[in-house]
Amino acid sequence: MTTLYHAPLTCSLASRFTAAEGNVPLDIEYLNLRTKELEAGGSLYDINPLGQVSVLRLDDDSLLTETSTVIMQLQSLSENPEFRVNPQDPEYYQLMRWISFCATELHKGLFRVIFYQEATDEVKDRVRELAPLRFEVLENHLANRQFLLGDRFSAADAYLTWFFVLSENAHLDHSSYPNLEAYRQRVLSRPAIRNLIESDRKKDKELDQRIIPE
């Protein structure tokens, strides 16, 4: 079975959201991203030399890294036609667009610096000043849509949902964007999403990972 190397509450949670919403069977190998230790023994560096997640081990024992790629792979494995977007679908490149947006503009563009312990408060605040323009893009796009691709939850939504799991910890205020706020409440209330967040919070404490500021 496909295996995800997963550090609780980190970006690999977006991969878990994707698998859960797409009904893709997935084994989970937990790890502590702070120490790089795998719960089952060994080091994340043995799996990914960069020491980062997401990492997916496929049935043929090959590995995929990079959260955006892992998400795309998992959604392609879904047998749910309401969730999976095939390359022949006109919306396929829209799916890639929004996954890339989440990866570059939100994940790496904001979180990577804000959660970087060595960054000064001044630098973090300057990065936070980049958020409103990105929130406006999402606000306008969601003005007449339930989800990023319209009326169905997709893998792109799984990635954006993860952003909202940690946005409060990053002190990013999106409360003045009504469409975005309604979207946030909508996706975080989905049963599979809610259950995985609760499970990850418990596992984070169990592993004593503590990489996310309170």
Side-chain angles (χ1 to χ4, degrees):
M1 184 183 294
T2 303
T3 299
L4 177 71
Y5 293 89
H6 172 54
L9 299 177
T10 68
C11 59
S12 52
L13 181 55
S15 299
R16 291 196 74 185
F17 289 162
T18 303
E21 292 287 347
N23 295 317
V24 178
L26 197 63
D27 277 342
I28 302 297
E29 289 283 350
Y30 285 103
L31 64 101
N32 183 321
L33 193 60
R34 180 171 55 84
T35 65
K36 311 301 182 182
E37 294 177 354
L38 301 177
E39 186 178 44
S43 170
L44 177 60
Y45 287 119
D46 297 331
I47 310 299
N48 180 3
L50 294 178
Q52 298 176 353
V53 291
S54 302
V55 182
L56 194 70
R57 186 179 295 278
L58 301 174
D59 291 343
D60 63 1
D61 211 37
S62 62
L63 293 173
L64 278 181
T65 62
E66 307 302 327
T67 297
S68 55
T69 306
V70 170
I71 286 175
M72 287 295 293
Q73 173 70 30
L74 288 171
Q75 79 93 30
S76 75
L77 295 175
S78 175
E79 296 183 359
N80 180 357
E82 295 300 316
F83 181 80
R84 185 186 67 249
V85 182
N86 295 316
Q88 299 79 16
D89 192 315
E91 290 193 320
Y92 184 77
Y93 289 99
Q94 290 297 326
L95 176 71
M96 294 182 63
R97 167 199 178 187
W98 289 111
I99 288 177
S100 297
F101 179 91
C102 291
T104 59
E105 303 298 337
L106 303 180
H107 183 183
K108 296 296 186 179
L110 300 178
F111 280 175
R112 182 66 182 90
V113 178
I114 292 172
F115 288 135
Y116 189 59
Q117 293 182 351
E118 285 75 11
T120 65
D121 289 341
E122 180 181 2
V123 168
K124 292 179 181 182
D125 286 341
R126 290 182 65 182
V127 168
R128 289 186 180 98
E129 292 174 359
L130 302 175
L133 181 57
R134 284 138 184 83
F135 292 164
E136 287 174 15
V137 169
L138 290 166
E139 174 74 8
N140 293 333
H141 182 73
L142 293 167
N144 57 356
R145 297 175 177 86
Q146 291 288 298
F147 302 106
L148 290 172
L149 297 188
D151 60 358
R152 60 171 172 170
F153 187 100
S154 71
D157 296 292
Y159 207 165
L160 183 52
T161 298
W162 170 73
F163 173 79
F164 290 118
V165 173
L166 298 182
S167 59
E168 183 177 352
N169 298 86
H171 302 292
L172 293 169
D173 184 10
H174 33 69
S175 60
S176 61
Y177 302 88
N179 297 326
L180 191 56
E181 275 297 288
Y183 172 90
R184 181 185 69 84
Q185 295 176 21
R186 192 156 52 244
V187 295
L188 290 178
S189 66
R190 294 173 71 87
I193 300 292
R194 189 172 60 245
N195 290 340
L196 284 173
I197 294 172
E198 182 179 353
S199 172
D200 254 24
R201 285 174 175 160
K202 292 179 180 177
K203 195 67 179 181
D204 178 62
K205 293 180 180 179
E206 180 183 327
L207 293 174
D208 194 28
Q209 182 178 236
R210 297 179 289 109
I211 64 169
I212 306 300
E214 296 293 337

